[in-house]
Amino acid sequence: MFPESNTGYSFEDCQATADWLLSQTAVRPLVGIVCGSGLGGLADALKDQVAFNYRDIPNFPQSTVHGHAGRLVFGTLKGRPCVCMQGRFHLYEGYPIQKITMPMRIFKMLGVETVILTNAAGGLNQDYKVGDIMIIKDHLNMPGFAGNNPLAGHNDERFGVRFPCMSDAYDRELQQMALDVGSELGFSDFLREGVYCVLGGPSFETIAECRMLHKLGADAVGMSTVHEVIVARHCGMRVFALSLITNKAVMDYDSEEKANHEEVLQTGKQRAEQLERLVSTIITRLEHNNNYA
Ligand code: HPA
């Protein structure tokens, strides 16, 4: 499974998985979507679906968390060929970080140019409300500070360079497009832009941790996305990411609020339809070769 010590799947392993998928479907996706907790409905919106359970895809990791279906769905969204991960992999499930991010390399090998990621997150910014949608403009990679980066270990230059730039990780043009589309759809009241901080989980943050993360410049906190973004950027795909604020992070010792997974899933359900409209409208405006009309 990990032929080059513990550094992940080889280029050839990824190629074999991508080739297998390409032999099973005629869809040639230009957009790759990763659905967060409770946000898997985006995959259901795809037309002419060809879907694979993760367990049936050679080399593919399996998803275990409640609320994640574990299917790779190919199809078209208003005529645009897409591939969608319905359910993703997390550090807290115990996977090596290379396994969590391996699907990004498969996306690249399938021909994907733009990756769109969604997640559920706790709001640290005191102006944020539950149900807000945050366009991610930057991230804080806390596991990365401790040496847990998906690119650690041997670097195969066929994927990307040894030291990839991350100051342009989140595509500015796509952020602006999301603001424009959000405004056209009447979403401006709950659309935000901010910094996402990833932690390993699965325990939610303490009050002291939330206060610290907020002071460090994070607007929202969660347990996903950043690792995938790093690997997607490493292999040259364009990235756009959204957080659905499903709960307010507890910042105050007098607060009676407690973060819980049911609340996260419930908020996802309520705002999911609007988030899906935002993403699908963005996709219809994407042009081939990374431009947008
Ligand atoms: N913290 C971490 N991850 C989360 C949260 C949170 O408050 N809400 C949804 N995912």
Side-chain angles (χ1 to χ4, degrees), residues 175-185 191 285 292:
Q175 291 171 49
Q176 185 57 50
M177 190 192 348
L179 287 174
D180 296 344
V181 168
S183 142
E184 286 167 35
L185 294 173
L191 202 55
R285 294 192 193 179
Y292 91 89

Side-chain angles (χ1 to χ4, degrees), residues 39 117-119 121 128-136 178-179 182 185 187-194 220 240-246 267-268 270-279 282:
L39 299 168
L117 305 105
T118 65
N119 63 48
Y128 286 9
K129 295 188 206 54
V130 169
D132 281 353
I133 294 173
M134 184 183 88
I135 297 165
I136 302 181
L179 287 174
L185 294 173
F187 294 174
S188 297
D189 284 352
F190 57 87
L191 202 55
R192 316 280 193 163
E193 283 178 287
F240 174 72
L242 289 174
S243 289
L244 175 63
I245 306 300
T246 52
T267 310
Q270 285 163 6
R271 210 35 121 198
E273 191 262 333
Q274 283 157 313
L275 188 138
E276 283 157 29
R277 265 171 63 206
L278 181 63
V279 171
I282 290 170

Side-chain angles (χ1 to χ4, degrees), residues 37 120-123 196 199 203-205 210 221-223 244 246-250 259-260 264:
S37 295
Y196 176 85
L199 301 180
S203 47
F204 287 113
E205 303 69 45
C210 288
V221 58
M223 304 173 193
L244 175 63
T246 52
N247 57 289
K248 286 185 82 137
V250 181
N260 69 85
V264 168

Side-chain angles (χ1 to χ4, degrees), residues 56 115 138 192 235 250 252 284:
D56 298 329
V115 181
D138 206 347
R192 316 280 193 163
C235 63
V250 181
D252 178 353
T284 60

Side-chain angles (χ1 to χ4, degrees), residues 29-131:
L30 297 173
V31 181
I33 304 165
V34 183
C35 301
S37 295
L39 299 168
L42 254 172
D44 298 327
L46 296 186
K47 293 250 163 58
D48 303 320
Q49 285 191 15
V50 183
F52 304 92
N53 291 319
Y54 290 160
R55 65 173 170 272
D56 298 329
I57 305 173
N59 292 334
F60 219 72
Q62 317 291 314
S63 180
T64 59
V65 69
H66 169 57
H68 291 257
R71 293 192 321 152
L72 191 66
V73 185
F74 290 76
T76 56
L77 207 58
K78 307 212 177 100
R80 312 279 160 143
C82 297
V83 59
C84 188
M85 284 183 76
Q86 202 172 29
R88 60 144 66 87
F89 308 104
H90 303 86
L91 275 183
Y92 63 75
E93 291 173 275
Y95 295 120
I97 198 162
Q98 285 88 1
K99 210 164 180 177
I100 293 166
T101 54
M102 175 265 203
M104 296 304 102
R105 291 180 166 172
I106 304 302
F107 275 9
K108 174 73 180 181
M109 289 172 162
L110 294 173
V112 166
E113 295 174 345
T114 305
V115 181
I116 301 182
L117 305 105
T118 65
N119 63 48
L124 294 163
N125 185 319
Q126 294 304 285
D127 294 336
Y128 286 9
K129 295 188 206 54
V130 169

